[in-house]
Amino acid sequence: MEANDSHVGEGSTSTEGTDAAGSGSEGGDAENRVEGEFPAPFAEGLAPTPPMGWNSWNNFGCNTSAEQIKSVADAMVASGMADVGYQYINIDDCWNEAVREENGGPNPTTAFPAGIEDVANHVHGLGLKLGIYSDRGAETCARRHGSRGFVDVDVQAYAAWGVDYLKYDNCDYINPDTFEHNLDETLMRDEYTLMSEALRSVDRGIVFSVCAWRFYEWAAPLGQLWRTTGDITDTWASIVANIGTNSGLGQAAYAGPNQWNDPDMLEVGRTGMTDTEYRAHFSMWAIMAAPLIAGNDVRSMTDATKAILTNAEVIAVDQDALGLQGVEIQQDGESGSERSVWVKPLNEHGARAVAFLNLGPEATEIAVDVTKLALQDTEVIVRDLWAHEDLASVRGTVAAQVPSHGVVMLKVVGEEPPIPRGEMDVSDLTWVYSANRLGPVELDSAVGGGGASDGMPITIGGTVFDKGLGVAAPSLIVYRLGANCSRFTAEVGVDGQAATGGSVEFEVWGDNTRLHDGAVLAGSTMAERIDVDVTGVYRLKLKVTNGLNGNARDFSSWGHPRLVCAD
Ligand code: GLA
């Protein structure tokens, strides 16, 4: 370790080394800054950043009522949670009876004596929004009436009541005793689509939370968020499992404004875990740009719980305007005791949120090279987002002592990779971000398996490319162009490695605008040519989708991607 390495984290913060204010903060490479590169928050749509709020299920289950929901809403304001961004007050299952009103309308239970509109009025009066729950089947999971056959009736009622958010569940009992459901994918897709269209047809913005218990590619365009996991529980094992499920399969590539992977509601403050574990849970949800839907009784939470849920610096990571879902970039340690490093680029020059996660039974040091954060090898400023303090600036390596079942969450600010100049092979550039279903994105070769550099030469439709990017869909790679380039070209397709399998779609985005809308390509077809104008683009996003649906052969290659840029 170098002498000026910083050792930070719970109980082990060190501020030795170069003084942050002395050099790092004013330093940096002024030439490498580009005006306008970091956008003002994207404001369009119902969920430009991940939704924040509260939901009744984790703590209260079916034991919910109008009085309870109103008093929780009051507490959201009184506790300061509303001030830091929590907005939705969501009633989960059991607000309604098993049987509808005689006229077919939705039928609230007697625990909601003045109906849902009365609750909505109270919630709106506090400046908050109201969420409700239903199910695509005839019955909800708790066997109350679902929306099957009554989608329009229900949506009309929700809109009339002033509902702002709908969580739509997936129960469709074949046998309620064994919790066996009809999960026919075509049926599910049709029923979620029906509700999505109905919500879009009313004159009220209602966030659609698809709760289909795992990621389905078809769900992403239907709503603003979609559950990627089974039900969370108030245990460390559940947190670890959901982090894995929410990050596996490359579905981070689908995250962005109005499009969020949902690893389920928060368990922070429900007493089954230690505060260290809850800080880790909250940190990981934030770095994954997950919805932050609290699940505790906010009327009676401890100061420690409140401090976790209202940590504005960690919330800012979750709500960052770039909307990228942080990914794991490094992992070691024995199975079950892994130590990992996660990174999420932030909407500020050279800024990265970094989480060091320790699953092991002992405290341990975790370290990462600054260059692995897609930053140049210069001095970086490090801030501890739980200690709320700037630490020593460091060069080379950022390191911290991380407690067992804990996270050290940092903001690291350094120097962005240089913007491209002249004519460039994209595979010679440093990306700012990459997410990939299988192993790392490969430079100048195809993806082989889960390891690095394990692929064959890039081959599309029989043509071999010596330069390019090998990915496994879904995948997203983000490059910094700094509005300095004019043209992006590539030959793309399913890689020969997939043989006749595979089915993928290549997309090119300039910031939040889609520039290339490719056809769905199958294995062994000829390369598709991409040639797009990227004038004025700050961030080039190379995305490949359609990689799930049980298809393990979505090896996809960007053959000879090139940029034409100013000198
Ligand atoms: C399912 C959902 C949960 C919750 C319950 C309610 O299990 O996944 O989040 O809504 O139903 O019954």
Side-chain angles (χ1 to χ4, degrees):
M1 288 266 159
E2 288 173 35
N4 63 352
D5 278 351
S6 169
H7 294 260
V8 297
E10 282 179 85
S12 65
T13 300
S14 152
T15 48
E16 284 168 37
T18 319
D19 174 26
S23 51
S25 58
E26 292 151 23
D29 177 0
E31 300 258 296
N32 194 33
R33 313 248 153 171
V34 174
E35 205 177 324
E37 179 173 357
F38 294 95
F42 183 79
E44 283 166 40
L46 293 172
T49 61
M52 292 176 67
W54 177 89
N55 175 294
S56 57
W57 183 256
N58 283 358
N59 200 66
F60 297 105
C62 270
N63 188 17
T64 184
S65 70
E67 280 317 305
Q68 172 202 77
I69 300 293
K70 289 181 187 178
S71 62
V72 164
D74 294 344
M76 294 294 277
V77 174
S79 65
M81 284 180 70
D83 285 339
V84 292
Y86 293 86
Q87 194 181 15
Y88 292 98
I89 306 294
N90 294 348
I91 317 172
D92 207 274
D93 208 348
C94 303
W95 61 270
N96 58 340
E97 301 284 356
V99 178
R100 291 181 167 269
E101 301 267 20
E102 264 172 32
N103 66 6
N107 189 10
T109 70
T110 52
F112 292 84
I116 302 300
E117 186 173 3
D118 165 66
V119 182
N121 289 342
H122 183 92
V123 167
H124 291 156
L126 295 166
L128 300 174
K129 295 184 169 179
L130 186 78
I132 208 162
Y133 164 99
S134 190
D135 193 291
R136 70 175 177 85
E139 290 179 327
T140 70
C141 297
R143 311 205 62 192
R144 308 308 171 94
H145 67 72
S147 290
R148 181 174 288 156
F150 294 89
V151 167
D152 287 325
V153 172
D154 285 354
V155 170
Q156 293 298 332
Y158 303 155
W161 294 340
V163 166
D164 305 293
Y165 183 116
L166 173 68
K167 172 175 164 184
Y168 205 45
D169 216 341
N170 198 28
C171 278
D172 185 7
Y173 285 112
I174 295 169
N175 181 348
D177 296 330
T178 58
F179 213 69
E180 196 189 337
H181 295 279
N182 181 0
L183 298 180
D184 177 80
E185 210 177 315
T186 308
L187 177 69
M188 287 168 58
R189 182 180 186 154
D190 287 350
E191 293 191 321
Y192 279 105
T193 304
L194 207 60
M195 180 51 88
S196 171
E197 287 171 355
L199 290 171
R200 282 178 183 159
S201 75
V202 290
D203 190 19
R204 183 173 184 88
I206 302 179
V207 170
F208 189 32
S209 161
V210 174
C211 181
W213 310 333
R214 52 156 274 207
F215 177 76
Y216 293 98
E217 188 188 49
W218 47 259
L222 299 182
Q224 288 72 38
L225 64 159
W226 51 82
R227 267 274 289 279
T228 56
T229 68
D231 285 11
I232 198 166
T233 61
D234 188 17
T235 62
W236 180 244
S238 175
I239 300 309
V240 173
N242 284 16
I243 292 168
T245 313
N246 195 55
S247 309
L249 304 176
Q251 68 254 28
Y254 286 86
N258 299 305
Q259 298 273 274
W260 308 107
N261 287 296
D262 175 11
D264 208 354
M265 306 168 291
L266 298 168
E267 295 285 6
V268 175
R270 295 207 50 250
T271 72
M273 286 180 257
T274 66
D275 288 334
T276 298
E277 290 171 331
Y278 285 136
R279 269 190 291 276
H281 169 25
F282 195 70
S283 302
M284 294 309 296
W285 263 234
I287 207 158
M288 295 190 298
L292 297 178
I293 308 291
N296 60 317
D297 188 347
V298 298
R299 302 170 303 186
S300 58
M301 61 186 158
T302 63
D303 287 347
T305 295
K306 187 161 109 177
I308 295 170
L309 289 171
T310 59
N311 183 331
E313 295 194 69
V314 174
I315 291 171
V317 170
D318 181 77
Q319 297 288 303
D320 183 80
L322 289 186
L324 293 169
Q325 177 171 331
V327 288
E328 187 183 75
I329 52 162
Q330 183 176 302
Q331 191 199 89
D332 66 11
E334 311 261 301
S335 172
S337 294
E338 288 90 348
R339 309 174 326 151
S340 57
V341 179
W342 297 69
V343 66
K344 179 183 200 289
L346 301 176
N347 187 34
E348 177 189 331
H349 185 93
R352 310 282 184 259
V354 176
F356 292 153
L357 170 64
N358 175 15
L359 302 188
E362 310 284 346
T364 183
E365 187 184 84
I366 300 181
V368 67
D369 286 350
V370 165
T371 52
K372 290 190 80 174
L373 308 176
L375 294 174
Q376 294 191 42
D377 183 16
T378 63
E379 191 169 87
V380 295
I381 300 171
V382 181
R383 182 170 174 81
D384 184 325
L385 303 186
W386 286 107
H388 301 296
E389 61 186 18
D390 288 336
L391 305 168
S393 293
V394 295
R395 179 137 191 196
T397 307
V398 178
Q401 191 69 18
V402 187
S404 165
H405 294 188
V407 158
V408 167
M409 187 134 178
L410 306 170
K411 179 176 174 186
V412 175
V413 182
E415 205 42 72
E416 293 288 344
I419 56 172
R421 298 190 185 278
E423 293 202 19
M424 298 276 309
D425 282 315
V426 175
S427 60
D428 294 337
L429 281 175
T430 302
W431 60 65
V432 170
Y433 174 88
S434 75
N436 199 44
R437 181 175 58 81
L438 185 65
V441 171
E442 298 287 1
L443 299 177
D444 305 328
S445 78
V447 163
S453 309
D454 57 358
M456 310 273 284
I458 289 173
T459 310
I460 307 168
T463 306
V464 176
F465 295 85
D466 59 340
K467 299 293 284 179
L469 301 163
V471 305
S475 164
L476 173 67
I477 318 173
V478 181
Y479 290 97
R480 179 179 190 231
L481 300 191
N484 195 49
C485 304
S486 56
R487 198 118 229 118
F488 169 78
T489 53
E491 310 271 334
V492 302
V494 175
D495 197 274
Q497 194 134 332
T500 52
S503 146
V504 300
E505 199 174 334
F506 286 77
E507 300 175 16
V508 178
W509 291 71
D511 301 308
N512 286 320
T513 307
R514 189 159 170 169
L515 304 176
H516 175 83
D517 197 354
V520 174
L521 303 176
S524 69
T525 47
M526 297 302 289
E528 177 187 12
R529 167 112 183 131
I530 296 178
D531 184 346
V532 290
D533 187 345
V534 293
T535 305
V537 167
Y538 294 104
R539 248 165 246 93
L540 176 71
K541 298 178 186 167
L542 305 183
K543 188 166 167 180
V544 189
T545 61
N546 208 29
L548 289 175
N549 305 333
N551 193 335
R553 305 210 61 79
D554 285 344
F555 299 101
S556 341
S557 290
W558 298 84
H560 210 188
R562 297 271 296 168
L563 277 165
V564 179
C565 309
D567 289 331

